[in-house]
């Protein structure tokens, strides 16, 4: 709240850049740790994932329940409409110096969201391979969405755990800071100024 209040949109954008780098770095470190603890490294992770069918992301079957190409196309269309109603994204676009810069900003955000999604999916696949090789290290009662935090807390060195936690907080702060700034702009423009 303090840096949003004092720095405005410029502070939000620059802290988002730093938070983005921290988030990518934390995910990269986690992936390196998984690959480093699997005999054969990243190549073995890829080979095992491929053999288990975990890399089949683009199924062409007419199924709207499994992750088929059609599901991803529907998600892409939905994302476009959600972005048009996203106050935070619109504020960032409208604070750009001109229309070209705004267009570039929105396109860059869309392009950069793809690798982070792929990286998150791949970390899940790498953890599948990791715990397939080390089943004794995993609590079988653990729900699927708790496996990555379990891995971070139990398999990584303490300094790296701090980096991952900082990456998680960075992602949360990025979302919150943009929303706080957007809400402030709405309150000032719609209620205070009139």
């Amino acid at each position: 709240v303090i840096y949003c209040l004092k720095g405005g949109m410029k502070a939000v954008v620059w802290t988002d850049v730093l938070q983005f780098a921290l988030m990518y770095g934390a995910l990269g470190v986690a992936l390196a740790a998984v690959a480093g603890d699997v005999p054969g490294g990243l190549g073995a992770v890829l080979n095992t994932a491929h053999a288990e069918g975990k890399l089949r992301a683009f199924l062409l079957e007419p199924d709207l329940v499994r992750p088929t190409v059609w599901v991803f196309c529907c998600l892409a269309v939905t994302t476009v409409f959600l972005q048009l109603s996203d106050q935070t994204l619109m504020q960032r676009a409208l604070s750009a110096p001109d229309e070209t810069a705004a267009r570039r900003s929105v396109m860059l955000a869309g392009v950069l969201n793809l690798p982070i999604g792929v990286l998150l999916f791949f970390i899940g696949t790498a953890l599948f391979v990791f715990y397939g090789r080390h089943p004794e290290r995993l609590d079988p009662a653990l729900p699927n969405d708790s496996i990555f935090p379990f891995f971070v807390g139990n398999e990584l060195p303490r300094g790296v755990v701090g980096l991952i936690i900082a990456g998680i907080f960075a992602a949360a702060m990025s979302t919150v800071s943009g929303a706080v700034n957007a809400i402030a702009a709405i309150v000032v423009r719609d209620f205070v100024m009139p």
Side-chain angles (χ1 to χ4, degrees), residues 65-151:
V65 177
R66 296 183 333 159
T68 63
V69 168
W70 317 114
V71 170
F72 287 112
C73 288
C74 290
L75 285 172
V77 170
T78 303
T79 300
V80 168
F81 289 109
L82 288 175
Q83 286 184 339
L84 291 174
S85 65
D86 183 356
Q87 176 66 30
T88 306
L89 180 65
M90 288 299 106
Q91 180 181 352
R92 288 178 182 154
L94 294 172
S95 67
D98 57 33
E99 186 178 333
T100 303
R103 186 177 299 119
R104 212 173 329 155
S105 172
V106 171
M107 296 298 283
L108 182 62
V111 167
L112 292 177
N113 280 333
L114 180 64
I116 197 89
V118 169
L119 185 59
L120 287 169
F121 279 117
F122 187 70
I123 285 176
T125 301
L127 288 173
F128 170 81
V129 173
F130 175 83
Y131 285 117
R133 299 273 171 107
H134 307 289
E136 72 284 355
R137 295 184 183 179
L138 183 64
D139 178 5
L142 202 63
N144 286 343
D145 60 354
S146 299
I147 293 174
F148 183 60
F150 179 82
F151 172 82

Side-chain angles (χ1 to χ4, degrees), residues 158-193:
R158 293 298 161 228
V160 175
V161 172
L163 175 67
I164 303 290
I165 291 171
I168 292 168
F169 278 121
M173 283 179 61
S174 173
T175 302
V176 170
S177 65
V180 165
N181 198 277
I183 290 168
I186 291 169
V187 168
V188 168
R189 296 288 296 172
D190 295 347
F191 297 104
V192 175
M193 288 178 74

Side-chain angles (χ1 to χ4, degrees), residues 4 24 42 52 58 67 101 106 140-141 144 166 174 179-180:
C4 289
Y24 262 103
L42 189 58
E52 294 286 334
F58 297 107
V106 171
N144 286 343
S174 173
V180 165

